[in-house]
Amino acid sequence: MSISNTKLDIDFVRSQFPAFKDPLCKKWSFFENAGGSYVPQQVIERLNKFLISTKVQPYAEYPMSKIAGNNMDEATELFAKMINANSKEIIIGGSTSINLYVLSNAMKYSIKPGDEVIVTNQDHEANISPWRRLSEVGAIIKEWKINPKTAELEIESLENLLTNKTKIVAVTHCSNIVGTINNLKKISEIAHKKNAVVIGDGVSYAPHGFPDVKELGVDFYTFSLYKTYGPHLALLYGKEEILKNLPNQNHQFLEGDYPYTINPGGPNHEELVSLIGIYEYLMDLYSYHFNDQNLSVREKINKINDLISTHEEEVANPILEYIYNRDDLRLIGKNKINNKNRAPTISFISDNKSSQDVSNILVSMNVATRNDNFYAWRCLKALGIDTEDGLIRLSLTHYNSTLEVKHLINSLNKI
Ligand SMILES: Cc1ncc(COP(=O)(O)O)c(C=O)c1O
């Protein structure tokens, strides 16, 4: 990927997030972004505005209701543009876990006994359990295992698992532990040769750059909006030609009315509308750094992605280098971000302290982090790491500053 020459103005970025001025938050160096990110003021403003003047049942003819409905549609349309989809392909649900359960429930009707489903042991459980449960309708579950030395998924192992009976390949775009970015485009290409459907989990990828789902070639793609600077919602993209044929999981009268068929209950209205604020924040970020206003939304997102990647690489690499060079610490995954081969999601364990102790020490020094298995317990098991004590995860995003990184490294010196 091309890396931008324009540098991200970190002061501008941080000025957009009220958390950094908040008396409680501002004392902390925040390294728990893979758990959930802060929100920019644009999201808060949209949420407030909705709650003040349009918090009524949407889609009636009176103005408050009309505006509410229009804003809900606008949020979906903007996210469709941002990821290069159309709005009939976008489901906004309560969480990625819920979205994938509903999807697997809908897909189980097309599974016959003996059909094969491939899951990994690198994924968060949200993209494993729903697919493993297809064994209840006769599916044979195959596990694409990480190489325990590198913690990485190797394409050749997938090639060995794929057969003409493979119906589904569920794989993470980026592990929430290892950080490596998996080549979802290549995975989709080889899975499609067997006519398998590819479900990509983008939860740990999307905060570092909204993907182009058409470019990736996936059939389904999911990410959690509360980790991409929004409220507690999640987006599921599905290729229209597949979505339209999935059996209805919603009220019976909604038969055929996709994508609502895969979204029982729908999203929280005010939170859905506040997603417009994510778009507004990104466009403000674009306009602050670039002049050309004639580009499409997707083209602007590409430029923002490059800007963010360059900055993330700059702030995360010193941490990776530090941990990698400490003899008593075991870093999981690649020791350097190079050309967006890795997200700034950094996990490690200590040889002589429990992860809980390390985390407690860091927290005592105002470094917001934690130890856990982060629901990727199969990955930890494969790496021989205690799933109770887990590992320590330092997860960055584009609003992390070099100042925070210096404080973190000083704090790591004390463990
Ligand atoms: C990689 C990954 N996938 C899926 C999920 C589940 O997302 P949600 O909390 O929206 O269900 C998470 C949550 O941490 C995650 O990190």
mmCIF file of all heavy atoms in Angstrom, residues 41 104 155 168 173 203 206 290 397 411:
data_model
loop_
_atom_site.group_PDB
_atom_site.id
_atom_site.type_symbol
_atom_site.label_atom_id
_atom_site.label_comp_id
_atom_site.label_asym_id
_atom_site.label_seq_id
_atom_site.Cartn_x
_atom_site.Cartn_y
_atom_site.Cartn_z
ATOM 1 N N GLN A 41 -16.122 14.249 19.286
ATOM 2 C CA GLN A 41 -17.244 15.132 19.659
ATOM 3 C C GLN A 41 -18.392 15.064 18.649
ATOM 4 O O GLN A 41 -19.553 15.222 19.011
ATOM 5 C CB GLN A 41 -16.755 16.564 19.835
ATOM 6 C CG GLN A 41 -16.289 17.226 18.558
ATOM 7 C CD GLN A 41 -15.385 18.425 18.810
ATOM 8 O OE1 GLN A 41 -14.910 18.636 19.922
ATOM 9 N NE2 GLN A 41 -15.146 19.206 17.776
ATOM 10 N N SER A 104 -25.350 -17.097 11.234
ATOM 11 C CA SER A 104 -25.128 -18.552 11.188
ATOM 12 C C SER A 104 -26.463 -19.294 11.276
ATOM 13 O O SER A 104 -26.662 -20.329 10.645
ATOM 14 C CB SER A 104 -24.167 -19.012 12.286
ATOM 15 O OG SER A 104 -24.797 -19.003 13.528
ATOM 16 N N ILE A 155 -1.414 -19.772 4.577
ATOM 17 C CA ILE A 155 -2.342 -20.025 3.464
ATOM 18 C C ILE A 155 -2.278 -21.496 3.020
ATOM 19 O O ILE A 155 -3.302 -22.097 2.708
ATOM 20 C CB ILE A 155 -2.023 -19.087 2.273
ATOM 21 C CG1 ILE A 155 -2.328 -17.637 2.653
ATOM 22 C CG2 ILE A 155 -2.745 -19.509 1.002
ATOM 23 C CD1 ILE A 155 -3.774 -17.207 2.542
ATOM 24 N N ILE A 168 -18.244 -23.059 4.058
ATOM 25 C CA ILE A 168 -17.991 -21.795 4.772
ATOM 26 C C ILE A 168 -16.538 -21.745 5.229
ATOM 27 O O ILE A 168 -16.007 -22.762 5.718
ATOM 28 C CB ILE A 168 -18.916 -21.684 6.019
ATOM 29 C CG1 ILE A 168 -20.378 -21.525 5.589
ATOM 30 C CG2 ILE A 168 -18.492 -20.540 6.942
ATOM 31 C CD1 ILE A 168 -21.383 -21.611 6.725
ATOM 32 N N HIS A 173 -9.778 -11.045 9.844
ATOM 33 C CA HIS A 173 -8.932 -10.205 8.991
ATOM 34 C C HIS A 173 -7.664 -9.837 9.767
ATOM 35 O O HIS A 173 -6.593 -9.694 9.200
ATOM 36 C CB HIS A 173 -9.714 -8.940 8.598
ATOM 37 C CG HIS A 173 -9.121 -8.167 7.470
ATOM 38 N ND1 HIS A 173 -9.638 -6.978 7.029
ATOM 39 C CD2 HIS A 173 -8.037 -8.390 6.691
ATOM 40 C CE1 HIS A 173 -8.898 -6.517 6.034
ATOM 41 N NE2 HIS A 173 -7.923 -7.348 5.809
ATOM 42 N N VAL A 203 -13.156 -6.940 13.124
ATOM 43 C CA VAL A 203 -13.258 -6.144 14.364
ATOM 44 C C VAL A 203 -11.913 -5.523 14.761
ATOM 45 O O VAL A 203 -11.856 -4.369 15.188
ATOM 46 C CB VAL A 203 -13.831 -6.997 15.522
ATOM 47 C CG1 VAL A 203 -13.839 -6.218 16.830
ATOM 48 C CG2 VAL A 203 -15.243 -7.477 15.192
ATOM 49 N N ALA A 206 -10.742 -2.918 11.333
ATOM 50 C CA ALA A 206 -11.436 -1.687 10.927
ATOM 51 C C ALA A 206 -11.023 -0.426 11.697
ATOM 52 O O ALA A 206 -10.994 0.658 11.103
ATOM 53 C CB ALA A 206 -12.943 -1.901 11.014
ATOM 54 N N PHE A 290 -5.963 17.356 3.843
ATOM 55 C CA PHE A 290 -5.890 17.298 2.371
ATOM 56 C C PHE A 290 -6.772 18.378 1.751
ATOM 57 O O PHE A 290 -7.779 18.775 2.341
ATOM 58 C CB PHE A 290 -6.346 15.921 1.864
ATOM 59 C CG PHE A 290 -5.569 14.768 2.431
ATOM 60 C CD1 PHE A 290 -6.112 13.963 3.425
ATOM 61 C CD2 PHE A 290 -4.280 14.480 1.977
ATOM 62 C CE1 PHE A 290 -5.391 12.894 3.966
ATOM 63 C CE2 PHE A 290 -3.553 13.417 2.500
ATOM 64 C CZ PHE A 290 -4.106 12.621 3.499
ATOM 65 N N THR A 397 -4.350 3.084 18.762
ATOM 66 C CA THR A 397 -5.055 3.531 17.578
ATOM 67 C C THR A 397 -4.462 4.877 17.169
ATOM 68 O O THR A 397 -3.474 5.327 17.771
ATOM 69 C CB THR A 397 -6.579 3.560 17.812
ATOM 70 O OG1 THR A 397 -7.221 3.857 16.581
ATOM 71 C CG2 THR A 397 -6.985 4.577 18.853
ATOM 72 N N SER A 411 7.163 3.017 31.943
ATOM 73 C CA SER A 411 6.427 2.155 32.878
ATOM 74 C C SER A 411 6.832 0.692 32.689
ATOM 75 O O SER A 411 6.983 -0.047 33.666
ATOM 76 C CB SER A 411 4.913 2.304 32.677
ATOM 77 O OG SER A 411 4.542 3.647 32.726
#
